[in-house]
Amino acid sequence: LGIGSIAGPAFAAPTGLTPNTLEEITNYNNYYEFGTGKEDPAENAHSLVTSPWSVEINGLVDRPGTYALEDILKGKDIEERIYRLRCVEAWSMVIPWNGFQLSALLDQVGVQSGAKYVAFETAFRPDEMVGVSRPVLDWPYREGLRLDEAMNPLTLMATGLYGKDLPAQNGAPLRLVVPWKYGFKSIKSIVRITLQEDQPFTSWKDANHREYGFYSNVNPTVDHPRWSQATERVIGAGLFGSRRETDMFNGYGDEVASMYSDLDLQKNY
Amino acid sequence: MALSLPLLPGVVADPVNRTLRKVPAWPLYILGAVPPVILFWAGVTGRLGVDPVKDMEHQMGEWGLWLLIAGLCVTPLRRYAGISLLKYRRALGLLAFFYILGHLLIWLVLDVQILSQIWADIVKRPYITVGMGAFVLMIPLAVTSNNRSIRRLGKTWRQLHKLVYATALLGSLHFILLVKGFQIEPYIYMGAILALLALRLPLTGKRRSLRTA
């Protein structure tokens, strides 16, 4: 379903990004449900049953319910978006996603006027996920966005990469991609979406609120308490010369900075 | 456990010690040089996965910690099992030093690269401050790991080399501080080091007699 019908222009800023190889993208993952090592998800995620798949969409929506993946994909334009993914661990790679705008799905279910935030939840399946037996995080993995962030044209629901179905280790069959935020905001293997008035519970903020905020916008001027965010290692650049300066909002400032004009980004990291 | 101890010196330790007497320490230095060479070569030829720099950095750091732990095993093994690995301890310690030096150089040259950021990291990031402290404490130990220093420093040498306790503790703390979320592995290292240090506490009562056995 990743390839479906790839339509529309590649919508991506900054432009001219050279994607990492499929090998790199699928063998260097943070998906702690399958282990904390970067190569653990590639090794263990095959056990995740991704078909059939359904997503419960509830809360402040006109048409709540459990949606089969096929019904979610029906009528959606699957586009290619080449985005840089900047991890909070200060590395980055470039990924050619296939997917549709989250706004299209939210329009489909009808967001009610009281909704201010969107909460997301990853599948929690102890029988299929070897990593969840360890209390690394308070499972299931949860993330959230402000409604305007969720509706931003850059915000993608990815169903594939490189024109193929999303590999399990990359969050199959349906994951979020929010390119101006640290990678952990881009929640994988989504089973629940809730529109709500209050700021959602987010797993990493719960684990350590000093280190991981709700917003988690890529910001070279706000360091992680344990490491600098001013630069990032470029995955795939080889042994030497593999570091670049981190861009504000990961280079997507033109599209997203206006959403934060009233927000102190030093406090709301 | 205490019951089985008296058996060990005769049944296990004697043959082991007899064999070890024929095995010199110098091959350890050659053996120890092999993994970093293989690691670097694997990195250069693209066989270390997607992020070779981090892989090299982590492997060298982890091996350094293993070597420190191995060095800390020497005294308890002699005290409780009667097995003497004393002549290998210098090699273990020096190899640990060179592995940690390699770990540090990979971080400086291949990972961080930017001088101003290196200094900022050392001062501002607790896990790096702690790791750096552990390394600095190893320098006087490496410098005095030779027969001449042992003769010249006498009793002071023994006192000085107890700094390795602090190095090992700081090294494992460095590991605990750098992981994300709750992960068990660094705590296992810290626990092993604490246990090995606890085994050095003064002996009391019956166990003391083992020392002379």
Side-chain angles (χ1 to χ4, degrees), chain A residues 27-29 36-44, chain B residues 48-51 55:
Chain A
N27 286 283
Y28 195 78
N29 307 100
T36 51
K38 292 284 185 291
E39 288 166 10
D40 290 346
E43 197 176 315
N44 299 325
Chain B
L48 280 187
V50 176
D51 194 2
D55 199 45

Side-chain angles (χ1 to χ4, degrees), chain B residues 192-211:
Chain B
I193 289 164
L194 285 172
L196 287 167
L197 295 185
L199 289 174
R200 289 170 158 75
L201 292 174
L203 294 166
T204 53
K206 260 196 302 194
R207 289 162 120 194
R208 185 175 290 274
S209 61
L210 269 175
R211 240 178 159 180

Side-chain angles (χ1 to χ4, degrees), chain A residues 5-234:
Chain A
S5 54
I6 294 184
F11 183 98
T15 51
L17 295 174
T18 309
N20 282 84
T21 64
L22 184 66
E23 174 78 10
E24 288 162 348
I25 294 167
T26 55
N27 286 283
Y28 195 78
N29 307 100
N30 278 328
Y31 196 164
Y32 281 10
E33 284 86 339
F34 297 104
T36 51
K38 292 284 185 291
E39 288 166 10
D40 290 346
E43 197 176 315
N44 299 325
H46 59 86
S47 55
L48 183 68
V49 178
T50 57
S51 179
W53 194 269
S54 59
V55 182
E56 186 188 344
I57 305 179
N58 57 20
L60 300 170
V61 292
D62 294 331
R63 289 171 287 280
T66 300
Y67 288 75
L69 186 60
E70 296 70 33
D71 295 331
I72 289 174
L73 294 179
K74 208 176 285 169
K76 303 282 192 303
D77 280 337
I78 303 293
E79 303 174 46
E80 180 180 68
R81 300 274 182 100
I82 301 173
Y83 285 155
R84 182 191 295 121
L85 177 109
R86 168 61 157 82
C87 179
V88 73
E89 296 165 346
W91 54 263
S92 68
M93 55 166 81
V94 176
I95 303 175
W97 299 108
N98 310 114
F100 57 90
Q101 287 183 195
L102 174 59
S103 61
L105 178 60
L106 295 179
D107 289 342
Q108 179 187 344
V109 296
V111 177
Q112 294 180 349
S113 60
K116 293 197 176 72
Y117 293 92
V118 190
F120 302 88
E121 196 174 306
T122 295
F124 174 73
R125 299 182 187 165
D127 293 343
E128 299 172 21
M129 297 171 147
V130 291
V132 298
S133 59
R134 293 186 174 192
V136 183
L137 291 167
D138 182 4
W139 314 112
Y141 192 84
R142 281 155 284 175
E143 258 307 333
L145 295 173
R146 226 169 52 185
L147 186 59
D148 58 336
E149 297 174 329
M151 296 299 286
N152 188 284
L154 284 179
T155 304
L156 195 73
M157 289 296 262
T159 56
L161 57 88
Y162 268 116
K164 299 191 192 88
D165 282 355
L166 210 52
Q169 63 266 39
N170 294 86
L174 187 68
R175 66 166 291 170
L176 187 67
V177 181
V178 196
W180 71 94
K181 292 175 180 287
Y182 293 123
F184 69 86
K185 295 294 291 183
S186 294
I187 185 170
K188 299 184 176 84
S189 307
I190 296 167
V191 293
R192 184 172 290 118
I193 299 174
T194 307
L195 279 288
Q196 59 191 59
E197 196 177 345
D198 304 322
Q199 195 180 88
F201 176 101
T202 54
S203 294
W204 277 107
K205 186 182 173 197
D206 170 70
N208 193 333
H209 66 93
R210 283 183 57 249
E211 299 192 347
Y212 313 99
F214 174 77
Y215 285 94
S216 288
N217 292 317
V218 175
N219 188 342
T221 68
V222 176
D223 285 344
H224 185 282
R226 288 185 283 149
W227 54 80
S228 167
Q229 296 290 23
T231 63
E232 67 209 38
R233 278 172 325 102
V234 179

Side-chain angles (χ1 to χ4, degrees), chain A residues 24 234-243, chain B residues 43 50-53 110 113:
Chain A
E24 288 162 348
V234 179
I235 300 300
L239 224 44
F240 309 99
S242 58
R243 199 166 268 275
Chain B
V50 176
D51 194 2
V53 173
L110 299 181
Q113 297 175 340

Side-chain angles (χ1 to χ4, degrees), chain B residues 2 4 7 34 49-51 60 68 70 74 87 89-90 94 100 115 127 133 140 156 183 185 198 201 207 210 213:
Chain B
S4 63
L7 288 172
V34 173
V50 176
D51 194 2
M60 289 300 283
L68 282 170
V74 171
K87 69 174 165 185
R89 192 162 63 180
R90 179 187 294 173
L94 280 172
I100 298 301
L115 259 176
Y127 84 92
T156 321
Q183 297 185 37
E185 192 189 359
L201 292 174
R207 289 162 120 194
L210 269 175

